[in-house]
Amino acid sequence: VRSLGRHLIAELYSCRSDLIDDEAIVRRHMLEAARRIGATVVGEVFHRFSPHGVSGTVVIEESHLSIHTWPEHRYVAVDLFTCGGLDPRPGFLYLKQALGAADARMQEIARGLPEELEEGDPALPKDVRLFTRLARLG
Amino acid sequence: VRSLGRHLIAELYSCRSDLIDDEAIVRRHMLEAARRIGATVVGEVFHRFSPHGVSGTVVIEESHLSIHTWPEHRYVAVDLFTCGGLDPRPGFLYLKQALGAADARMQEIARGLPEELEEGDPALPKDVRLFTRLARLG
């Protein structure tokens, strides 16, 4: 049984435009991010836009990773959604470095049902603890 | 130029287990959700887990949609990330109904840089307005 999810939502700023406009490079770094998280990849799709920008998702056994790049703004939106007890943060730290982000912002959101819920119990919104954490990382 | 993003994060509760354990049905509803949002699909990947559960992502011109299902908990995690001025909420309302969710919770997060930033301006975290809105929908 997969446990509940951790969803890390990151904004990467002042990235290297050349790197984030290259589909092959973005794909390679996303697969490496999955590896650093300890995830098992089950599928992927990447797409380069004209005139610029790359989007991609990596479906993992433990949920998914996604990326969207705006080279013209040197901005990248990353989502790292993991379950099964995996920590998404190593993927974030890797991508921040690999894409040359001078600054970044992230928040983590808990997804799903509280762990203490027994299987088969009715799932009510009031049982769900949803939190947002904002962090500045150097 | 794609504009900044709207990221709708939804938890669907008390869904129909039979529907959310069926890869073909989940895929069909996700593509219909993309259509209701007015998005242009550029790629997709879906995967069924053993013994149960479906994960899938749909990459659209305007970012992506993702879904993860836990039939054993009748729980579904949905992300609808749109840019280019598209409103993700019709996709959420469609999926809530299509998957038989008796209850749901959603929040919307703004992604990216503030719209007023001129292209080429330095992008700093302090310029970004990040907000979270929680809503109960009947």
Side-chain angles (χ1 to χ4, degrees):
Chain A
V1 175
R2 290 175 290 163
S3 69
L4 303 180
R6 297 177 64 173
H7 187 165
L8 193 160
I9 295 172
E11 326 295 324
L12 305 183
Y13 300 115
S14 301
C15 297
R16 274 186 51 189
S17 299
D18 57 331
L19 298 181
I20 66 175
D21 203 22
D22 186 315
E23 181 180 336
I25 288 174
V26 170
R27 175 180 175 276
R28 179 158 54 80
H29 287 312
M30 286 294 280
L31 293 175
E32 177 62 16
R35 198 187 69 79
R36 301 245 176 159
I37 290 170
T40 301
V41 174
V42 298
E44 51 162 295
V45 53
F46 283 85
H47 181 81
R48 187 175 183 283
F49 294 93
S50 178
H52 37 225
V54 174
S55 282
T57 59
V58 179
V59 176
I60 56 179
E61 289 263 4
E62 306 83 2
S63 298
H64 77 273
L65 318 181
S66 73
I67 190 166
H68 304 287
T69 79
W70 280 259
E72 70 275 32
H73 294 298
R74 302 176 62 194
Y75 163 65
V76 173
V78 171
D79 284 74
L80 308 173
F81 185 164
T82 60
C83 58
L86 290 191
D87 182 352
R89 287 173 297 183
F92 165 71
L93 294 170
Y94 172 76
L95 289 170
K96 179 177 182 298
Q97 182 272 324
L99 302 177
D103 213 336
R105 188 167 189 168
M106 69 94 145
Q107 57 186 322
E108 189 179 313
I109 294 177
R111 304 293 300 265
L113 311 172
E115 270 173 291
E116 55 273 20
L117 261 193
E118 293 292 322
E119 211 172 287
D121 274 5
L124 302 171
K126 69 176 173 54
D127 296 321
V128 177
R129 198 164 44 89
L130 204 59
F131 65 89
T132 297
R133 186 169 73 222
L134 288 173
R136 280 292 302 280
L137 298 164
Chain B
V1 177
R2 291 175 289 162
S3 68
L4 303 181
R6 297 177 63 173
H7 187 166
L8 193 160
I9 295 172
E11 325 296 324
L12 305 183
Y13 300 116
S14 302
C15 296
R16 273 185 52 188
S17 299
D18 56 331
L19 298 181
I20 66 176
D21 202 22
D22 186 316
E23 182 180 335
I25 288 174
V26 169
R27 176 179 175 276
R28 179 158 54 80
H29 287 313
M30 287 294 280
L31 294 175
E32 176 63 17
R35 199 187 69 78
R36 301 243 175 161
I37 290 169
T40 302
V41 174
V42 298
E44 52 162 295
V45 53
F46 283 86
H47 181 81
R48 186 174 184 283
F49 293 93
S50 179
H52 37 227
V54 175
S55 282
T57 59
V58 179
V59 176
I60 56 179
E61 288 262 4
E62 306 84 1
S63 298
H64 78 273
L65 318 181
S66 74
I67 189 165
H68 304 287
T69 79
W70 281 258
E72 70 276 30
H73 293 298
R74 301 177 62 193
Y75 163 66
V76 173
V78 171
D79 284 74
L80 308 172
F81 186 165
T82 61
C83 59
L86 290 191
D87 182 352
R89 286 173 298 182
F92 165 70
L93 294 171
Y94 171 76
L95 289 171
K96 180 177 182 298
Q97 182 271 324
L99 302 176
D103 213 337
R105 189 167 189 167
M106 69 94 143
Q107 57 185 322
E108 188 178 313
I109 294 177
R111 304 294 299 264
L113 309 173
E115 269 172 290
E116 54 272 22
L117 261 193
E118 293 291 321
E119 212 171 286
D121 274 6
L124 302 172
K126 68 175 174 53
D127 296 322
V128 176
R129 199 164 44 89
L130 203 59
F131 65 88
T132 298
R133 187 169 71 224
L134 289 173
R136 280 291 303 281
L137 298 165

